[in-house]
């Protein structure tokens, strides 16, 4: 008991003062996509599997001049459809950028 | 006769939208357009702005309503026009959902629907409400 009293008596460690972080107003983050009227973008759709189990897909690429290029396709799996649409979109965008 | 679904079922259906938006493995995109809204998934009108969803895009639905988390603004609108509808796609641009936009009472509410090229466009609130309550 004396040991504990010796250990702890007179030792007053103060708990660190925790200052609450200031609550900031929500910041509206932004992303800049480039100058107006210059965007090239795409969207694609994957349908339900057909009777043969393959997945139909179609993909559109929108060019800044308003031209829309669209292509359909069929893939063995959903993932393959995603990949095929993405690859076609990337190559079509590259062509449009090259021609611009 | 109108179908009435249990709230748990409506929540489950709403949660499928969140799952679909997040399926790309990164933040989905919220695209804003002018003109007449096409048939679901139809050819889009003029792109006015593209905002970026949170990832994950929302917490679980409650009361049949999926409330999307903060959406990052588009710092510079792509074109000038009146926003009338929007399209949600994954980070890879796979189609998820079309919906109405407005400044209040719409599915996705913007700071303004009168969008000016080069000016910031932000989303003040966004929900997707399941029917059949």
């Amino acid at each position: 008991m004396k040991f504990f009293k010796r250990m702890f008596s007179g030792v007053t460690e103060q708990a660190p003062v925790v200052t609450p972080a200031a609550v900031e107003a929500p910041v509206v983050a932004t992303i800049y996509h480039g100058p107006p009227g210059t965007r090239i973008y795409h969207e694609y759709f994957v349908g339900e599997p057909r009777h043969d189990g393959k997945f139909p897909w179609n993909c559109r690429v929108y060019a800044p001049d308003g031209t829309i290029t669209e292509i359909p396709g069929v893939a063995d799996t959903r993932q393959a459809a995603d990949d095929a649409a993405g690859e076609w979109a990337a190559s079509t965008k590259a062509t449009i950028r090259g021609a611009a | 006769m109108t179908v009435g679904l249990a709230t748990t079922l409506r929540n489950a259906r709403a949660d499928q939208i969140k799952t679909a938006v997040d399926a790309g493995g990164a933040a989905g995109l919220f695209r804003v357009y002018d003109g007449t809204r096409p048939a679901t998934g139809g050819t889009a009108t003029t792109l006015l702005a593209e905002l970026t969803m949170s990832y994950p895009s929302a917490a679980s639905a409650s009361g049949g309503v999926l409330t999307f988390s903060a959406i990052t603004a588009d710092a510079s609108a792509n074109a000038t026009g009146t926003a009338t509808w929007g399209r949600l796609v994954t980070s890879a641009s796979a189609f998820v959902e079309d919906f109405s936009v407005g400044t209040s009472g719409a599915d996705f509410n913007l700071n303004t629907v009168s969008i000016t090229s080069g000016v910031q466009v932000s989303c003040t609130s966004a929900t997707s409400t399941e029917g059949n309550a």
Side-chain angles (χ1 to χ4, degrees):
Chain A
M1 202 60 185
K2 280 183 180 174
F3 171 74
F4 283 108
K5 278 183 180 170
R6 228 180 16 250
M7 262 192 89
F8 294 107
S9 64
V11 180
T12 53
E13 272 193 35
Q14 198 164 356
V17 176
V18 178
T19 307
V23 178
E24 294 179 14
V27 175
V28 179
T30 61
I31 292 179
Y32 180 67
H33 296 282
T38 62
R39 294 184 198 178
I40 305 173
Y41 71 101
H42 78 286
E43 62 193 7
Y44 73 94
F45 307 79
V46 179
E48 292 180 278
R50 306 187 314 188
H51 63 281
D52 59 1
K54 293 181 185 292
F55 288 76
W57 59 268
N58 73 298
C59 185
R60 296 185 193 117
V61 173
Y62 297 80
D65 67 359
T67 304
I68 302 168
T69 311
E70 184 167 3
I71 190 172
V74 178
D76 289 338
T77 64
R78 167 71 207 232
Q79 184 61 55
D82 289 337
D83 294 344
E87 286 167 15
W88 179 79
S91 68
T92 303
K93 287 178 185 177
T95 301
I96 293 169
R97 288 193 184 98
Chain B
M1 181 175 286
T2 306
V3 171
L5 293 176
T7 304
T8 49
L9 287 175
R10 294 173 64 230
N11 287 343
R13 297 201 322 181
D15 286 339
Q16 287 299 309
I17 295 172
K18 165 187 161 356
T19 300
V21 173
D22 296 340
L29 304 170
F30 161 31
R31 291 173 175 160
V32 181
Y33 300 91
D34 70 356
T36 302
R37 178 176 160 181
T40 302
T43 303
T45 49
T46 301
L47 177 71
L48 300 178
E50 182 178 275
L51 290 75
T52 305
M53 307 296 288
S54 289
Y55 181 75
S57 56
S60 296
S62 176
V65 179
L66 185 68
T67 302
F68 291 101
S69 302
I71 296 174
T72 301
D74 184 335
S76 174
N78 185 54
T80 296
T82 302
T84 53
W85 67 282
R87 176 166 286 175
L88 268 181
V89 297
T90 68
S91 59
S93 291
F95 171 73
V96 176
E97 181 183 12
D98 286 342
F99 46 81
S100 62
V101 300
T103 53
S104 68
D107 302 314
F108 279 60
N109 293 306
L110 304 171
N111 58 328
T112 177
V113 292
S114 299
I115 293 175
T116 303
S117 175
V119 173
Q120 179 174 308
V121 179
S122 55
C123 181
T124 53
S125 67
T127 58
S128 185
T129 303
E130 280 299 316
N132 302 120

